[in-house]
Amino acid sequence: ELDISYAVYLLHFPIILILVNLIVLAGVDRAFLSDSLLFFVLFVSLVIFVSYQSTRYFEQPMRRYLQRRLSHA
């Protein structure tokens, strides 16, 4: 079982900042951000995807490495 809740907590804010800046740089009206179901779905999907990848390929391997490293100290 993979718990991505901490990664979601850490990554949601940087992801929204990046998305908002990219959308504004693309010339899309800011009203799109507050009224768009598409933006919301894109944001939530991206947060879940990035959080899963971060947990699976960074957090878990680091946790295992540190546990092995510290248990032999």
Side-chain angles (χ1 to χ4, degrees):
E1 181 179 325
L2 196 60
D3 182 6
I4 65 168
S5 61
Y6 189 63
V8 168
Y9 167 73
L10 288 178
L11 296 171
H12 81 280
F13 190 68
I15 290 172
I16 194 122
L17 289 178
I18 292 168
L19 277 178
V20 168
N21 283 319
L22 288 174
I23 288 172
V24 169
L25 285 173
V28 177
D29 185 21
R30 283 186 166 221
F32 170 78
L33 302 175
S34 61
D35 296 334
S36 175
L37 179 61
L38 175 63
F39 177 76
F40 178 75
V41 170
L42 174 67
F43 169 66
V44 171
S45 300
L46 190 60
V47 168
I48 291 170
F49 176 76
V50 171
S51 296
Y52 175 83
Q53 297 299 320
S54 172
T55 302
R56 172 76 172 90
Y57 296 108
F58 179 73
E59 184 183 339
Q60 284 188 334
M62 274 309 240
R63 183 179 298 144
R64 284 191 298 270
Y65 169 77
L66 290 173
Q67 284 174 345
R68 281 193 314 268
R69 186 92 168 131
L70 295 175
S71 69
H72 295 140

